């Protein structure tokens, strides 16, 4: 009631007060977020420009400028980790998107009983990473693993899934697809079930086939949701660590070495805190390039709409 009285007496003043109140109400949250995000990032950048030594029971930092950049340029293992990460990200995101979209399309039309089917599909997403690593290590085991046992029954070759450098990265990617396709499925299913029914009913009345409705209506309407799903999954895939750590620890050789795994080794095994921090900053910038690409595409979609 007070807001209406102010608006009638002084046009525009009520809106200005509302906007001012919103800014003041957001201020505490903004300050907390600034402390929790900006300060650690500034600290990380500062560490990336330093070298650390251990002496006298304490850690001593020395400013080293861009020396870590020179080290990265000579680091062949990091280049292999970047290459493996890009292969991993592109491969798993594309496969998970296609599988998740197909399953979401099928599940969105389910009548009664569909809830149970959807719940079963989401189960891999609920399993803890440590259990996934243990389960798939046993399944991939060369001698008594269930996969090779099945292949032996079919008289097919039994590969060394995690020990052969030629297929080790692909084996890790299979586990990731099994684990994360449910994530794509959930986002895309939510998008499909939120689409307006009227255009599809009109297309059905006009005699459009299922494929024509999918191409002319479903895909254009789902495009923003698809871009958000791809962006989120790309960010998560860039940070893959637990599956690699539990299955191969980056081996054999550097065949499954990914950026997160390598940064972990640099920081916690060789204790090169400055160089590891520098690689972390580079990894964040690399991920940001993909995120900015998705956001730029989303903005173009909104303008075109």
């Amino acid at each position: 009631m007070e807001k209406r009285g102010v608006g009638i007496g002084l046009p525009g003043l009520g809106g200005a007060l509302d906007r001012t109140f919103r800014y003041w109400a957001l201020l505490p949250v903004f300050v907390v977020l600034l402390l929790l995000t900006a300060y650690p990032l500034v600290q990380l950048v500062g560490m990336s420009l330093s070298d650390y030594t251990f002496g006298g029971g304490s850690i001593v930092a020395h400013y080293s400028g861009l020396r870590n950049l020179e080290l990265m340029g000579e680091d062949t293992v990091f280049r292999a980790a970047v290459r493996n990460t890009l292969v991993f990200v592109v491969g798993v995101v594309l496969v998970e998107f296609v599988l998740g979209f197909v399953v979401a399309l099928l599940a969105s039309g389910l009548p009664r009983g569909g809830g149970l089917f959807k719940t079963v599909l989401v189960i891999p997403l609920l399993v803890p990473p440590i259990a996934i690593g243990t389960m798939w290590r046993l399944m991939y085991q060369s001698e008594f693993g269930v996969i090779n046992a099945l292949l032996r029954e079919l008289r097919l070759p039994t590969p060394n899934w995690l020990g052969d450098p030629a297929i080790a990265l692909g084996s890790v990617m299979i586990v990731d697809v099994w684990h994360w396709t449910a994530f794509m499925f959930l986002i895309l299913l939510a998008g499909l079930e939120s689409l307006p029914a009227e255009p599809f009913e009109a297309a059905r009345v006009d005699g459009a086939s299922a494929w024509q409705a999918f191409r002319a209506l479903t895909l254009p309407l789902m495009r923003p949701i698809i871009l958000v799903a791809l962006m989120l999954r790309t960010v998560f895939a860039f940070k893959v660590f637990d599956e690699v750590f539990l299955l191969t620890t980056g081996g054999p050789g550097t065949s499954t070495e990914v950026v997160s795994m390598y940064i972990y080794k640099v920081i916690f095994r060789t204790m090169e805190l400055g160089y590891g921090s520098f690689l972390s900053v580079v990894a964040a910038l690399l991920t940001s390039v993909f995120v900015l690409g998705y956001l730029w595409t989303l903005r173009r979609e909104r303008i075109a709409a």
Side-chain angles (χ1 to χ4, degrees), residues 229-258:
L230 290 174
M231 181 177 69
L232 291 175
R233 190 63 198 104
T234 300
V235 171
F236 295 156
F238 257 110
K239 297 189 294 184
V240 61
F241 176 81
D242 44 11
E243 289 154 356
V244 177
F245 181 78
L246 294 166
L247 291 172
T248 63
T249 327
T254 59
S255 59
T256 62
E257 195 77 77
V258 292

Side-chain angles (χ1 to χ4, degrees), residues 46-163:
M47 290 176 65
S48 70
L49 300 175
S50 306
D51 278 337
Y52 288 81
T53 56
F54 299 87
S58 62
I59 301 175
V60 182
H62 306 277
Y63 177 73
S64 62
L66 297 178
R67 180 176 173 276
N68 289 324
L69 178 62
E70 297 176 10
L71 288 177
M72 190 187 73
E74 300 166 356
D75 193 341
T76 56
V77 179
F78 181 68
R79 286 202 292 273
V82 171
R83 184 175 60 250
N84 290 338
T85 303
L86 292 175
V87 171
F88 181 90
V89 170
V90 173
V92 301
V93 171
L94 285 179
V95 173
E96 289 166 12
F97 166 69
V98 172
L99 290 177
F101 202 9
V102 169
V103 177
L105 285 169
L106 297 173
S108 65
L110 287 177
R112 288 183 177 179
L116 177 62
F117 180 72
K118 295 168 188 173
T119 304
V120 171
L121 289 175
V122 176
I123 286 177
L125 200 60
L126 309 178
V127 181
I130 182 66
I132 293 174
T134 305
M135 179 180 70
W136 278 92
R137 277 186 74 91
L138 291 173
M139 291 172 62
Y140 276 144
Q141 217 285 332
S142 300
E143 300 299 324
F144 55 82
V146 66
I147 298 176
N148 278 0
L150 180 62
L151 293 176
R152 273 191 286 272
E153 289 295 324
L154 298 173
R155 300 186 182 282
L156 293 173
T158 54
N160 187 356
W161 296 97
L162 300 177

